[in-house]
Amino acid sequence: MIVSAHRTLGLIMGVLCLPLAAFAAAPQPTHEFKLDNGLKVIVREDHRAPVVVSQIWYKVGSSYETPGSTGLSHALEHMMFKGSGKFGPGEASRILRELGAEENAFTSDDYTAYYQVLASDRLGVALELEADRLASLTLPADEFTKEIEVIKEERRLRTDDRPSSLAYERFKAMAYPASGYSIPTIGWMADLDRMHIDELRAWHQKWYAPNNATLVVVGDVTADEVKSQVQRYFGDIPRGEVPTAKLPLELAAPGERRTTLYLKTQLPSLIMGFNVPGLATAETPRQVYALRLAAALLDGGYSARLSTRLERGEELVSGASAWYNAFTRGDSLFILSATPNVQKGKTLEQAETGLWRELEELKKAPPSADELARVRAQVIAGLVFERDSITSQATSIGQLETVGLSWQLIDQELAELEAVTPADIQQAARNFFVRDRLSVAHVLPEESRNEESRHED
């Protein structure tokens, strides 16, 4: 499974009128320890139900890959279910199914993670299975021959045959000129065609080591019981010689870049992105929290600026969005997208002008205190709602740790968001929403290229 950077904000309208301090409930008891082999373990207690989620996160993803060898991290994720020293292909999954457990895995630019959700008294089973495939994955060639065809079909279905996904993939390749974030997580098809099982064996050997992993356990458990089980199953796995991974840093001002894509889509659309830091690379955290609130200010529900002004007000677009992922290992993108209102005869150029107008407005004048308070309440309500789930808690912890940040940030981010001022948002807009950091993709229906050719003739 591949994950994207776009996080959806859940809004709890009934609590938006509460003072923000009411959201900052006492943090759950959280414990951190490390085995002698370097495996970091974080245990967060949540005793509301007799359930536990176990996630193991490896510091490897598509941004670690190189041209010609793309898609290795995702392909290896698939092969992690194809047998180990103790269990044949699919056997571990069968055992978990019989226990009523939910399991899956996901790969992104910065990490690969595997998880199980099950009754808390069965945690040992999940840990034993996970440790076994870390220590003794078999990677049989015949299984790879079958699985690589599954991966190629996944690429066709999820990317090649989906214009929006294909457009975003091409856009990212342009928007990240200096880092591995230009590489699609699933890999380029030409690299999938020539991938060999030996590459995956070397990739597993290189990155899958206890000292390159974080095990996160959240739910109805105590630190002592988890520690004894983790020591039992993972303690004897030796450390690995893990290479030093450099951060995916971008050019601060690469210059304006543009592309026009003709795809099998019925409506034209627009993607704009600005090269910006993530939390791991920003000069100050305040810049990042200001950008998070700027995204919500533009696209934080019905009363946000893009929908209020460009969609319902001017009827310039039929839809517009803004999003920003702060939790990256390296630099990030602040992205806006829009579909012009073709029923009103609006064009991509007009939609782009409208988006720029909103960004320039942020530069000229800070948001009012009331508008910022409303937006901040929505963002915080969404975070509180999200954290109600033990899986979301574990995922937030694992993501932070794996991109080089601390899990403790999840207990600090409400205060960080609270501290952002209107002037901080204005300053972030002035610093980052400039043409030297801009990439633009115009996505047009294939038919329009044929029409253009006829006009040229």
Side-chain angles (χ1 to χ4, degrees):
M1 184 173 77
I2 298 171
V3 295
S4 72
H6 192 185
R7 287 169 100 191
T8 304
L9 292 175
L11 303 180
I12 315 173
M13 300 312 294
V15 296
L16 293 186
C17 55
L18 291 174
L20 292 181
F23 291 119
Q28 301 284 92
T30 306
H31 318 272
E32 178 183 333
F33 59 90
K34 190 175 277 193
L35 300 191
D36 291 343
N37 60 14
L39 177 67
K40 181 183 267 193
V41 185
I42 298 163
V43 182
R44 193 169 179 94
E45 297 182 39
D46 189 325
H47 299 289
R48 292 174 298 169
V51 178
V52 68
V53 57
S54 172
Q55 299 180 343
I56 190 162
W57 295 69
Y58 295 97
K59 294 178 181 176
V60 64
S62 54
S63 67
Y64 290 69
E65 297 164 7
T66 54
S69 297
T70 65
L72 291 173
S73 303
H74 176 249
L76 182 54
E77 176 219 307
H78 277 240
M79 291 300 295
M80 287 284 282
F81 295 86
K82 300 301 178 181
S84 59
K86 289 183 185 175
F87 304 99
E91 266 190 66
S93 296
R94 178 185 56 77
I95 290 167
L96 289 165
R97 274 198 311 274
E98 288 174 357
L99 291 177
E102 173 193 342
E103 66 150 356
N104 215 323
F106 48 88
T107 307
S108 187
D109 300 322
D110 292 323
Y111 42 75
T112 311
Y114 304 83
Y115 69 85
Q116 300 84 29
V117 184
L118 70 174
S120 50
D121 62 354
R122 300 301 175 93
L123 173 63
V125 178
L127 296 178
E128 180 180 4
L129 295 173
E130 203 62 81
D132 181 57
R133 63 179 170 185
L134 168 57
S136 65
L137 194 69
T138 51
L139 289 168
D142 59 334
E143 290 291 336
F144 171 73
T145 301
K146 292 183 284 187
E147 198 61 30
I148 194 65
E149 296 305 319
V150 172
I151 294 167
K152 286 195 262 187
E153 185 60 19
E154 181 183 341
R155 181 181 164 89
R156 291 184 196 101
L157 288 172
R158 293 190 174 182
T159 304
D160 297 341
D161 294 340
R162 287 179 62 182
S164 59
S165 299
L166 191 60
Y168 186 63
E169 180 182 88
R170 302 282 168 83
F171 170 78
K172 269 185 72 181
M174 174 181 67
Y176 285 114
S179 78
Y181 287 150
S182 61
I183 294 171
T185 300
I186 200 165
W188 300 111
M189 187 63 91
D191 293 337
L192 300 180
D193 284 336
R194 57 185 170 168
M195 191 181 289
H196 192 273
I197 186 62
D198 287 342
E199 291 180 273
L200 290 189
R201 289 172 178 151
W203 201 246
H204 185 265
Q205 180 72 24
K206 187 175 184 178
W207 299 108
Y208 277 61
N211 47 308
N212 197 44
T214 302
L215 178 68
V216 183
V217 179
V218 179
D220 188 25
V221 291
T222 65
D224 288 343
E225 66 180 295
V226 173
K227 190 169 188 176
S228 64
Q229 292 187 79
V230 171
Q231 182 63 50
R232 175 182 174 187
Y233 295 115
F234 286 89
D236 293 336
I237 301 174
R239 296 174 69 92
E241 293 294 326
V242 179
T244 301
K246 293 182 178 178
L247 296 183
L249 299 180
E250 263 312 324
L251 308 173
E256 186 172 339
R257 291 137 287 157
R258 289 182 167 270
T259 188
T260 302
L261 302 170
Y262 294 91
L263 301 176
K264 293 177 181 175
T265 180
Q266 295 191 327
L267 294 172
S269 61
L270 165 76
I271 311 172
M272 293 171 60
F274 295 90
N275 294 106
V276 298
L279 197 53
T281 59
E283 287 182 11
T284 66
R286 184 68 62 87
Q287 290 179 323
V288 167
Y289 291 102
L291 285 171
R292 287 178 67 183
L293 289 172
L297 200 76
L298 294 166
D299 178 27
Y302 185 80
S303 55
R305 291 188 178 189
L306 295 183
S307 58
T308 301
R309 299 176 181 181
L310 301 188
E311 191 174 345
R312 298 195 305 279
E314 297 179 44
E315 296 186 322
L316 180 62
V317 301
S318 56
S321 62
W323 72 93
Y324 164 60
N325 178 20
F327 304 110
T328 49
R329 185 169 66 97
D331 290 327
S332 189
L333 287 174
F334 188 100
I335 296 176
L336 300 102
S337 66
T339 301
N341 189 341
V342 292
Q343 290 183 322
K344 297 284 184 179
K346 304 300 183 183
T347 65
L348 283 173
E349 290 74 18
Q350 289 171 313
E352 185 178 338
T353 300
L355 290 175
W356 262 114
R357 198 164 58 243
E358 292 305 320
L359 298 178
E360 292 298 334
E361 176 69 23
L362 276 179
K363 294 186 199 179
K364 285 180 202 162
S368 70
D370 286 347
E371 184 182 23
L372 179 55
R374 174 181 55 76
V375 166
R376 183 164 28 221
Q378 289 179 340
V379 171
I380 290 176
L383 289 170
V384 171
F385 180 75
E386 195 177 272
R387 298 278 158 75
D388 193 52
S389 151
I390 60 169
T391 297
S392 292
Q393 290 178 58
T395 300
S396 295
I397 290 168
Q399 183 182 24
L400 285 166
E401 287 288 332
T402 308
V403 300
L405 300 167
S406 167
W407 63 265
Q408 295 179 12
L409 288 174
I410 72 169
D411 295 327
Q412 299 166 11
E413 70 177 328
L414 301 191
E416 294 278 10
L417 289 164
E418 176 84 33
V420 174
T421 66
D424 290 330
I425 292 176
Q426 181 184 31
Q427 190 58 51
R430 287 175 172 175
N431 288 346
F432 299 118
F433 301 154
V434 295
R435 290 195 177 270
D436 269 358
R437 293 175 174 269
L438 174 67
S439 295
V440 182
H442 283 195
V443 184
L444 292 159
E446 279 185 338
E447 297 73 34
S448 58
R449 174 162 51 188
N450 300 332
E451 290 168 16
E452 286 176 15
S453 300
R454 283 198 296 271
H455 290 316
E456 287 170 9
D457 294 343

